[in-house]
Amino acid sequence: MAASAAAAPGIFDPFEVKGVVFRSRVLRSSLGGRMAYYDGTVTPAWRNFERRFARPEHLLGGIISATIAIDDARHSPLEYPKLSDDRFIGPIAEGVRAVKDLGCAYIVQIGDPGGHTHTSLLPEAADGLSASAGFDFVYGYRNRTTAMTPGEIARTVGQFASAARRVRATGADGVEVTASKGYLIHQFLNPATNRRRDDYGGSPKKRFRLLEEVVREVRREIGDDYLFGVRLSAEDFNYLPLNVRWPPVLPLRDWFFGNTLATTLDYGRWLAALGVDYLHIDSGFGFVNPKGSPGEFPFEGLRLFANSARHLSAKARVRATVLNLVPAWLAGSTLGLGWRFVPAANAGYAASFREATKLPVIANGGFQERSVIAGALAHGQCDLVAIGRPLLANPDLLQAIAEQRPPASGQPCTFCSRCCTRTAVLPLGCYDVSRFGHSNARMQQQILETSADLSP
Ligand SMILES: Cc1cc2nc3c(=O)[nH]c(=O)nc-3n(C[C@H](O)[C@H](O)[C@H](O)COP(=O)(O)O)c2cc1C
Ligand code: SF4
């Protein structure tokens, strides 16, 4: 691993890791929307969306893709892309080429939502597979999750490895495995959702075993010379008692809080020992959650999301009904607890991982202001910063920072998180109408342009 970092790097300094050069220290974080056909093949809208951020004048160092599914059944949400078969390589390769032609590095993130699969055309038993059997009111649509058999685990490990091979075949600069967001690997890591008594559950080392096998097999498939990172949650928090997750586990602190930093730092050290090239650090468990997407509570969006899945199970129907009945003011003051904006929310965690593992670290969540981005880099908390919502709101954010002017829209991202939840049913874009002078027409225009071909 060859990482170069100046003593006090600035936002616009390049960064190199494993031969991949990022032209600045800011990456576009994973942003997914309905940009694939129902079979999982990316649409031209996906390519146009990614190219928009890659434009040289936007100065971004690189782009990390949305979570691309490794399993044919579980893609999440519906109309996110898949890499579960060789036939998906070609269309993604075309988009990757378009991004790289603009001088921007591109990393493909792969993952499996497991029991947190949000949406589906029709109910599928495979969408409930997880570490253990149980009930989770907020995440996933199946009534209950089902514990994976050792055979199913082995199949999943193989699917990660095959998908990683396909990532390399697309021409992307690197592959990132998500062990965060409450997705399948995270369900194995989290002691509240992993109650297994076999070699994949119990102690942290055993809960880590699925991730370890995935890392070993992915590395075997892609070779030692290919950039390989892992997205990891620094603390789970688990969002109890607001989420109902059953049965409880002992000790109760595991049920309430899941992994804490002491344990996840061990995961980080083990990943470093396994030869992972970088870590991408966020926090929280589940998408969306208040730690991973710091900001306002997106109640209306959650309602929309829940209603879009209500046909899939009894749980999903009850969940939608409850959210339809609760008045917004009551939901805001109860379900919205813990939702608040924290600048550079995970930079402190990133610093701990950087110190403990000596690996290059990407910090994710709550970056928009120049001083906040520059501060995290200058203080050595991270090597790179990944930005999601503020770049969705203003793709020219970094250029505006460089030119010391407001972005072209004149309005910063408000971290209202409406975009996170509306992506399940609506095209990707910014849904805070206040940013568009309360003009729905202007907001719709922006949403159309978000994935339009803007090439001259
Ligand atoms: C519309 C939308 C879609 C997202 N999709 C993904 C995804 O596919 N995979 C992922 O790991 N994170 C996803 N995220 C989370 C972002 O990558 C990022 O971690 C989060 O928005 C916090 O960063 P921010 O404060 O810079 O927005 C998504 C976020 C948004 C807003
Ligand atoms: S909807 Fe717009 S303002 Fe709100 S978080 Fe998303 S990008 Fe930012």
Side-chain angles (χ1 to χ4, degrees):
M1 185 268 302
S4 66
I11 298 177
F12 301 101
D13 290 337
F15 184 74
E16 184 180 339
V17 54
K18 206 71 173 263
V20 177
V21 178
F22 299 97
R23 62 190 172 191
S24 73
R25 298 295 180 118
V26 176
L27 310 181
R28 205 291 316 278
S29 188
S30 303
L31 287 180
R34 301 170 69 228
M35 292 183 175
Y37 300 108
Y38 279 134
D39 78 335
T41 306
V42 289
T43 61
W46 170 78
R47 186 196 64 136
N48 296 339
F49 180 70
E50 301 298 56
R51 269 183 85 240
R52 190 170 205 219
F53 296 98
R55 291 160 72 158
E57 65 271 25
H58 286 165
L59 301 173
L60 289 173
I63 293 175
I64 305 175
S65 79
T67 310
I68 296 193
I70 57 132
D71 185 278
D72 211 47
R74 294 182 293 277
H75 55 149
S76 191
L78 205 58
E79 296 178 270
Y80 262 46
K82 288 189 206 167
L83 258 176
S84 52
D85 188 277
D86 285 359
R87 74 192 162 90
F88 295 116
I89 296 172
I92 293 184
E94 204 256 319
V96 168
R97 226 177 2 259
V99 166
K100 292 187 62 176
D101 282 351
L102 297 171
C104 186
Y106 197 80
I107 294 175
V108 172
Q109 190 200 81
I110 53 175
D112 183 336
H116 279 208
T117 303
H118 307 298
T119 48
S120 182
L121 275 181
L122 296 167
E124 306 233 22
D127 290 346
L129 291 185
S130 184
S132 300
F135 174 82
D136 188 309
F137 187 61
V138 171
Y139 298 109
Y141 73 80
R142 299 288 301 179
N143 290 334
R144 288 179 59 77
T145 56
T146 312
M148 289 174 93
T149 62
E152 284 165 338
I153 293 174
R155 180 167 177 269
T156 295
V157 172
Q159 287 174 320
F160 267 103
S162 302
R165 169 183 58 76
R166 293 181 193 116
V167 170
R168 188 161 188 170
T170 66
D173 294 292
V175 63
E176 179 175 297
V177 164
T178 187
S180 179
K181 281 184 76 200
Y183 275 14
L184 183 68
I185 295 176
H186 204 175
Q187 290 157 32
F188 274 75
L189 294 175
N190 190 328
T193 46
N194 183 345
R195 288 171 286 99
R196 301 178 74 96
R197 291 170 187 272
D198 61 4
D199 290 343
Y200 293 91
S203 65
K205 190 76 196 176
K206 286 183 165 182
R207 300 199 305 271
F208 181 77
R209 179 168 170 167
L210 171 61
L211 179 54
E212 176 173 347
E213 290 182 0
V214 166
V215 168
R216 284 189 196 284
E217 288 306 302
V218 164
R219 181 56 91 194
R220 203 171 54 79
E221 203 63 52
I222 58 177
D224 287 340
D225 60 337
Y226 195 62
L227 182 64
F228 176 17
V230 171
R231 181 162 173 168
L232 198 63
S233 173
E235 296 211 64
D236 293 336
F237 296 102
N238 280 358
Y239 206 41
L240 290 178
L242 295 172
N243 186 10
V244 180
R245 190 172 285 129
W246 201 260
V249 297
L250 293 174
L252 282 178
R253 69 166 181 276
D254 281 353
W255 192 49
F256 271 93
F257 302 112
N259 289 297
T260 55
L261 186 62
T263 306
T264 61
L265 285 177
D266 280 340
Y267 297 156
R269 290 185 192 99
W270 297 335
L271 288 170
L274 286 168
V276 158
D277 298 309
Y278 73 86
L279 296 175
H280 180 177
I281 299 299
D282 61 10
S283 63
F285 184 78
F287 186 74
V288 290
N289 78 74
K291 302 293 181 183
S293 303
E296 279 174 44
F297 175 54
F299 178 60
E300 291 300 334
L302 286 177
R303 220 181 219 171
L304 204 66
F305 205 125
N307 279 305
S308 76
R310 63 180 303 144
H311 60 291
L312 292 170
S313 70
K315 177 187 97 171
R317 205 156 42 247
V318 171
R319 188 171 56 194
T321 306
V322 169
L323 289 180
N324 291 337
L325 289 175
V326 180
W329 64 266
L330 183 60
S333 54
T334 52
L335 304 175
L337 285 176
W339 285 89
R340 68 190 174 91
F341 178 63
V342 180
N346 300 307
Y349 293 131
S352 303
F353 278 91
R354 197 165 181 256
E355 170 65 27
T357 65
K358 312 296 178 215
L359 287 176
V361 168
I362 305 171
N364 189 312
F367 289 98
Q368 177 161 243
E369 297 295 325
R370 178 190 188 117
S371 59
V372 176
I373 303 169
L377 292 167
H379 294 129
Q381 290 181 296
C382 55
D383 301 280
L384 295 157
V385 161
I387 300 183
R389 294 163 296 173
L391 279 168
L392 183 59
N394 292 301
D396 68 333
L397 176 71
L398 207 55
Q399 184 184 5
I401 285 176
E403 295 169 6
Q404 301 191 21
R405 59 158 173 87
S409 78
Q411 299 293 333
C413 169
T414 59
F415 295 99
C416 70
S417 283
R418 288 185 176 93
C419 50
C420 303
T421 43
R422 293 189 188 198
T423 181
V425 280
L426 295 168
L428 189 51
C430 174
Y431 283 89
D432 185 350
V433 71
S434 74
R435 293 189 58 247
F436 304 94
H438 294 277
S439 156
N440 271 314
R442 280 185 57 208
M443 186 173 81
Q444 293 299 335
Q445 180 61 29
Q446 166 269 153
I447 291 164
L448 278 176
E449 285 170 6
T450 294
S451 51
D453 187 346
L454 300 172
S455 47

